[in-house]
Amino acid sequence: MAKHKDKRPIAERVAADLRALVMSGELEPGQQVPSNSALTEAYETSNVTIQRALNILKDEELLEGRSGSGVYVRADAAQIITPASYMAPSAPGEPYRWVSEAAGREQRGSNKILRVAEVTPPKRVAAALGLDGNGKAVLRSRIGLLDDEPAELVNSYYPVELARDTRLADRRRIPGGSPTLLADMGFPPREQADEVTARKATQEEHALLELPDDVPVLEVFRIVYSDDRRVIEVSDVVKPGHIYKLGYHLPVS
């Protein structure tokens, strides 16, 4: 028996169990969830508590109510995003892979640039770039949109000596995205290392990603290397954890 007791309110526990079933696909898109009476019996609780749990998941847009019918899993399944698919430069004349990958899912991908500036980066970014305490990096901050809805918040940092006086250092969009520009500059992306964390959103993330209350986020801290393992980009990518999953395909050595 587990030594740790779940002290969350019953409604949150029920919502957590149902959320896991939706995210795993056990409850499929469009499928009706168990009835209130069935859930009331299974969890030995009241109908009010079950309704509160369902409302939590409705607010997260995982479930939807249909008048006179019941409660159903939303029609669109949680999307699997494969981070490695965005590292390669786009083909000549092709848009940034965020846009082309979205089109493959019959979505409209776009970006909103928030900020471009030379900044003193956070400690872990500075460490990855090999900067001392006073070192600067070029920051490009943006929101990635899918069908005009916020899907990710990205803060990307570049070595000043590489980015200054290039398209990386101004607010204009980059044709083909930063991987294409870096490759054209002689620094093709060769390798990336990702560190993934699940956590609660900061106030800024909550506002920019338009999150429902208390939804966790997935944070990917990414280092991109070029030839000779030169670090050419360090990014902090934050995605809503209730509608996205990260997919990795790795060779077995």
Side-chain angles (χ1 to χ4, degrees):
M1 179 178 292
K3 294 181 180 180
H4 180 75
K5 183 177 177 61
D6 191 341
K7 297 180 180 180
R8 291 175 295 177
I10 296 176
E12 293 183 14
R13 284 182 261 160
V14 175
D17 288 352
L18 293 175
R19 186 185 296 112
L21 293 174
V22 172
M23 294 299 288
S24 69
E26 191 70 22
L27 283 174
E28 299 178 352
Q31 181 178 347
Q32 187 172 10
V33 304
S35 66
N36 282 31
S37 59
L39 291 170
T40 297
E41 181 178 352
Y43 286 94
E44 299 180 347
T45 189
S46 69
N47 184 67
V48 171
T49 298
I50 295 301
Q51 194 60 50
R52 188 176 297 125
L54 296 176
N55 284 337
I56 289 172
L57 299 180
K58 288 178 183 177
D59 288 343
E60 294 178 12
E61 299 180 1
L62 291 178
L63 302 180
E64 58 184 12
R66 299 180 187 174
S67 180
S69 177
V71 179
Y72 293 78
V73 179
R74 65 178 182 187
D76 298 324
Q79 293 186 26
I80 298 176
I81 303 297
T82 306
S85 64
Y86 302 109
M87 186 177 76
S90 300
E94 292 295 317
Y96 177 39
R97 286 182 178 271
W98 173 260
V99 175
S100 57
E101 292 282 328
R105 299 190 301 269
E106 298 184 348
Q107 291 180 297
R108 183 175 64 261
S110 60
N111 287 287
K112 178 182 178 182
I113 303 298
L114 300 177
R115 185 187 181 200
V116 179
E118 286 191 18
V119 301
T120 300
K123 287 183 178 179
R124 64 176 179 172
V125 174
L129 290 172
L131 301 176
D132 59 26
N134 298 317
K136 298 287 186 179
V138 171
L139 165 67
R140 291 185 66 87
S141 180
R142 66 174 179 82
I143 293 179
L145 304 166
L146 292 175
D147 294 333
D148 296 326
E149 295 293 331
E152 65 177 17
L153 173 62
V154 183
N155 291 314
S156 294
Y157 300 84
Y158 303 91
V160 168
E161 70 276 9
L162 184 154
R164 185 179 284 165
D165 299 324
T166 74
R167 196 70 168 256
L168 291 169
D170 69 46
R171 292 183 64 93
R172 290 178 295 171
R173 289 182 173 82
I174 301 172
S178 60
T180 300
L181 177 59
L182 287 165
D184 290 344
M185 292 166 58
F187 303 101
R190 300 295 191 193
E191 178 187 353
Q192 73 181 47
D194 287 358
E195 179 183 292
V196 183
T197 303
R199 59 170 174 77
K200 296 296 181 66
T202 65
Q203 294 183 66
E204 180 184 46
E205 292 161 356
H206 193 281
L208 290 174
L209 292 173
E210 301 177 10
L211 298 174
D213 289 345
D214 218 25
V215 163
V217 294
L218 293 171
E219 179 184 25
V220 182
F221 182 71
R222 175 174 301 144
I223 303 175
V224 180
Y225 302 89
S226 188
D227 296 322
D228 300 321
R229 298 204 87 232
R230 175 174 179 173
V231 176
I232 55 174
E233 179 182 272
V234 179
S235 293
D236 190 51
V237 184
V238 178
K239 303 184 73 67
H242 66 309
I243 52 176
Y244 294 101
K245 297 188 283 189
L246 299 180
Y248 290 87
H249 302 274
L250 304 175
V252 178
S253 57

